[in-house]
């Protein structure tokens, strides 16, 4: 599928972004030239996926599309039980309704914002146990998504077992910069969790990109094929939530994969309540077919190599120009270190959001803030949270843009970098929602 994109003038963009209250989510897509807001649901489906769309079975119960997806999930992940949901956060909603209660603690590696919000919405706590190396963007470490086992063990020892319903490992870890978790770390987390009798679930949106990094970077895996690596990864988990809009390359969809029948039975009740009957769960038959095929497309080595190399191509152009980015480059995105890019803006004026607005004004490129706006206020104190990393993410949709687009993006950001000393004022919040505020926040220039 090919779509036209439209160039605009700086004057038009000045007007549009003001009207959008300096929130890039409020822009109309035709006001954006190159859209790097997210890699979620924005990829192009393959010929095989489109063929599958034509033969979807739309029966309410027991459709062949459901069984096709069930078979693909078992084949790729090894999980015997699964529940379809309409997207990743819906999978979180169903799973956490089953497992998480008020006062609980859910340790993990830099939980994604919807994951954290679903935990905090239930008055539970998300505890970040990511390795410290992840928070220094200049440091070269092959697996910056790893969990620090000492931090994790301390949480498991210091709290009663009944308070820790699960550990969540996000692969790859989006919030720390699309960074992978090593197989060794997954194995060790699993051993530690078993010792304390706590289940481990993977937030698996980008599991295939994680498997690619294991193949390329981890000793002993260079000759193992991606699907076998994926199988081994999931063998260390009790279950998974999946946003299929990422590594399964569909525009909409999600699921929960489970090893245990008792959890499946309990979660089925919530699935029916929130998503739909357990053989469709918010998805149409044709979408389940495309998703089943996408799980195979997304775990092809050649595809993964091309995709991840394209992201690195952009990263390299920026790095060579001296722009501070999270290094090594992430799997799905380049994360620009906004604090180092715009050192003259105080943190209270939302540095990464300011940078994202500047990039849009410069070239019509839409990135997204992964920083203090996204971090929300502390639910207990009501104070702004300022995470260690204040990033602007440039997420690359799958099978969509060419390397010429990457060159244009780099040129736009380099232009902003050259005039960075003149950018001294940021933004202030005019209106915000109590949770997941970054989607709807309204801002004005300071
Ligand atoms: N987990 C991770 C690691 C994610 O990146 C996302 C979504 C979700 C869960 C939720 O999935 O959107 O299908 O409900 N990430 C998107 C992004 C929105 O832009 O990174 P969803």
């Amino acid at each position: 599928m090919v779509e036209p994109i439209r160039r605009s003038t700086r004057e038009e963009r000045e007007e549009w972004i003001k009207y959008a209250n300096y929130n890039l989510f409020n822009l109309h897509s035709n006001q954006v030239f190159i859209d790097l807001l997210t890699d979620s649901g924005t990829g192009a489906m393959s010929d095989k996926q489109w063929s599958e769309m034509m033969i979807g079975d739309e029966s309410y119960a027991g459709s062949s599309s459901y069984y096709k997806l069930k078979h693909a999930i078992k084949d790729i992940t090894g999980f015997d039980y699964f529940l379809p949901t309409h997207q990743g956060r819906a999978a979180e909603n169903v799973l956490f309704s089953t497992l998480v209660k008020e006062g609980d603690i859910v340790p993990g590696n830099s939980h994604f914002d919807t994951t954290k919000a679903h935990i905090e919405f239930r008055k539970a706590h998300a505890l970040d146990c990511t390795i410290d190396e992840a928070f220094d963007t200049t440091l070269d470490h092959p697996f910056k998504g790893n969990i620090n086992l000492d931090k994790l063990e301390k949480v498991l020892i210091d709290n009663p077992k009944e308070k820790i319903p699960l550990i969540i490992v996000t692969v790859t870890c989006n919030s720390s910069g699309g960074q992978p978790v090593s197989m060794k770390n997954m194995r060790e987390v699993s051993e530690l969790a078993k010792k304390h009798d706590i289940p481990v679930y993977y937030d698996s949106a980008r599991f295939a990109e994680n498997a690619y990094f294991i193949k390329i970077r981890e000793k002993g895996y260079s000759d193992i094929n991606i699907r076998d690596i994926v199988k081994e990864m999931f063998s260390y988990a009790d279950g998974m939530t999946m946003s299929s809009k990422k590594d399964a390359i569909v525009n909409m969809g999600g699921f929960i994969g489970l090893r245990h029948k008792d959890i499946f039975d309990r979660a089925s009740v919530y699935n029916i309540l929130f998503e739909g009957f357990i053989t469709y769960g918010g998805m149409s038959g044709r979408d389940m077919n495309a998703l089943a095929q996408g799980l195979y497309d997304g775990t092809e080595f050649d595809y993964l190599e091309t995709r991840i190399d394209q992201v690195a191509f952009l990263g390299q152009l920026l790095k060579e120009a001296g722009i501070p980015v999270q290094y090594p480059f992430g799997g799905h995105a380049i994360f620009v270190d906004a604090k180092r890019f715009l050192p003259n803006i105080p943190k209270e004026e939302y540095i990464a959001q300011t940078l994202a607005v500047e990039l849009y004004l410069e070239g019509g490129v839409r990135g997204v803030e992964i920083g203090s706006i996204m971090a929300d206020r502390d639910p207990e104190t009501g104070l702004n949270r300022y995470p260690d990393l204040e990033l602007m993410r440039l997420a690359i949709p799958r099978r969509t843009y060419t390397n010429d687009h990457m060159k244009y993006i780099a040129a736009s950001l380099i232009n902003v970098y050259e005039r960075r000393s003149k950018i001294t004022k940021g933004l202030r919040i005019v209106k915000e929602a109590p949770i997941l505020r970054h989607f709807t926040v309204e801002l004005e220039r300071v």
Side-chain angles (χ1 to χ4, degrees):
M1 192 66 73
V2 176
E3 279 177 54
I5 50 178
R6 177 179 173 271
R7 262 193 280 198
S8 53
T9 63
R10 191 179 171 107
E11 290 69 37
E12 284 176 316
R13 294 193 291 274
E14 291 275 3
E15 195 178 311
W16 292 333
I17 195 69
K18 194 165 171 218
Y19 191 72
N21 297 305
Y22 299 93
N23 178 345
L24 295 126
F25 285 98
N26 285 337
L27 291 170
H28 297 202
S29 61
N30 61 7
Q31 296 168 340
V32 176
F33 183 44
I34 297 183
D35 204 347
L36 310 183
L37 184 72
T38 180
D39 63 321
S40 181
T42 52
M45 289 206 295
S46 68
D47 50 352
K48 286 190 183 149
Q49 286 179 291
W50 280 108
S51 314
E52 285 295 333
M53 294 288 280
M54 302 307 289
I55 53 171
D57 174 355
E58 304 305 339
S59 308
Y60 190 96
S63 72
S64 59
S65 300
Y66 165 79
Y67 287 104
K68 190 177 273 179
L69 181 54
K70 184 175 164 64
H71 179 266
I73 290 171
K74 167 76 185 167
D75 192 27
I76 298 285
T77 69
F79 289 118
D80 283 321
Y81 302 98
F82 105 95
L83 288 166
T85 63
H86 78 274
Q87 62 183 95
R89 70 200 69 183
E92 291 165 354
N93 187 29
V94 170
L95 185 70
F96 297 171
S97 295
T98 314
L99 299 178
V100 180
K101 57 180 189 323
E102 186 170 342
D104 281 353
I105 292 162
V106 183
N109 52 341
S110 304
H111 310 64
F112 183 64
D113 66 336
T114 60
T115 318
K116 192 164 168 187
H118 269 295
I119 293 168
E120 292 181 349
F121 182 69
R122 290 172 170 79
K123 299 195 163 46
H125 306 279
L127 267 188
D128 189 1
C129 299
T130 313
I131 56 168
D132 293 335
E133 289 89 333
F135 305 106
D136 179 350
T137 55
T138 59
L139 216 101
D140 192 0
H141 184 292
F143 293 102
K144 280 184 170 176
N146 278 358
I147 292 216
N148 178 318
L149 297 165
D150 295 334
K151 284 190 204 173
L152 179 63
E153 182 148 43
K154 188 165 173 2
V155 177
L156 303 186
I157 289 171
D158 288 353
N159 296 282
K161 181 175 130 34
E162 319 74 72
K163 285 247 174 250
I164 310 175
L166 74 161
I167 297 165
I168 293 179
V169 183
T170 305
V171 292
T172 56
C173 185
N174 190 358
S175 308
S176 71
Q179 300 293 313
V181 180
S182 72
M183 193 72 91
K184 179 168 179 283
N185 194 247
M186 288 184 217
R187 202 178 300 127
E188 288 168 342
V189 167
S190 159
E191 283 162 11
L192 192 58
K194 279 210 177 81
K195 197 172 104 191
H196 291 266
D197 194 22
I198 311 273
V200 179
Y201 285 79
Y202 289 176
D203 176 352
S204 316
R206 300 178 183 86
F207 71 94
E209 291 173 6
N210 201 102
Y212 174 85
F213 284 122
I214 288 174
K215 185 175 170 74
I216 298 300
R217 295 182 187 167
E218 191 161 349
K219 202 163 155 262
Y221 286 92
S222 60
D223 293 333
I224 315 278
N225 77 50
I226 295 288
R227 296 215 179 105
D228 289 336
I229 294 176
V230 167
K231 276 267 174 57
E232 186 182 342
M233 284 166 54
F234 286 120
S235 75
Y236 301 123
D238 294 274
M240 64 184 284
T241 54
M242 177 70 186
S243 169
S244 309
K245 305 167 72 168
K246 283 86 168 173
D247 275 1
I249 328 178
V250 289
N251 302 118
M252 194 52 74
F255 63 87
I256 303 171
L258 295 164
R259 195 172 302 291
H260 312 290
K261 173 88 165 59
D262 58 324
I263 305 290
F264 170 80
D265 288 341
R266 283 165 56 201
S268 295
V269 176
Y270 294 104
N271 216 70
I272 295 170
L273 195 61
F274 297 141
E275 292 296 295
F277 184 57
I278 57 170
T279 66
Y280 72 88
M283 298 187 72
S284 48
R286 64 182 86 94
D287 288 340
M288 287 193 280
N289 272 10
L291 165 49
Q293 179 59 43
L295 287 170
Y296 291 99
D297 284 15
T299 47
E300 288 283 349
F301 177 79
D302 288 349
Y303 149 74
L304 283 165
E305 184 180 48
T306 312
R307 159 160 185 68
I308 291 173
D309 278 0
Q310 183 176 51
V311 175
F313 176 74
L314 173 62
Q316 198 56 34
L317 293 176
L318 300 178
K319 197 163 177 270
E320 278 163 13
I323 294 179
V325 295
Q326 173 67 299
Y327 192 78
F329 308 128
H332 66 296
I334 295 300
F335 290 69
V336 181
D337 187 333
K339 274 195 246 178
R340 286 169 53 223
F341 193 114
L342 294 178
N344 298 326
I345 300 199
K347 69 178 192 308
E348 293 76 14
E349 295 180 13
Y350 307 110
I351 311 166
Q353 183 71 14
T354 304
L355 180 56
V357 167
E358 286 300 332
L359 176 61
Y360 173 70
L361 289 173
E362 184 67 36
V365 177
R366 171 160 70 171
V368 75
E369 188 244 27
I370 308 262
S372 42
I373 298 185
M374 195 195 221
D376 275 334
R377 288 174 187 275
D378 184 306
E380 272 150 35
T381 64
L383 297 173
N384 268 327
R385 291 190 277 212
Y386 295 103
D388 292 332
L389 291 178
E390 178 75 22
L391 304 164
M392 174 183 68
R393 185 184 74 175
L394 305 173
I396 312 298
R398 294 167 182 77
R399 306 190 290 210
T400 302
Y401 291 117
T402 67
N403 281 3
D404 277 347
H405 294 106
M406 300 302 122
K407 287 184 197 160
Y408 175 92
I409 298 157
S412 300
L413 194 60
I414 290 167
N415 285 349
V416 179
Y417 194 57
E418 280 167 2
R419 61 177 170 80
R420 67 190 182 282
S421 60
K422 296 202 192 83
I423 306 170
T424 53
K425 286 204 163 84
L427 300 159
R428 76 167 73 90
I429 291 183
V430 180
K431 197 171 160 204
E432 64 185 291
I435 203 160
L436 290 174
R437 64 180 177 178
H438 74 128
F439 289 111
T440 54
V441 69
E442 294 180 10
L443 301 137
E444 64 184 14
R445 282 196 188 278
V446 168

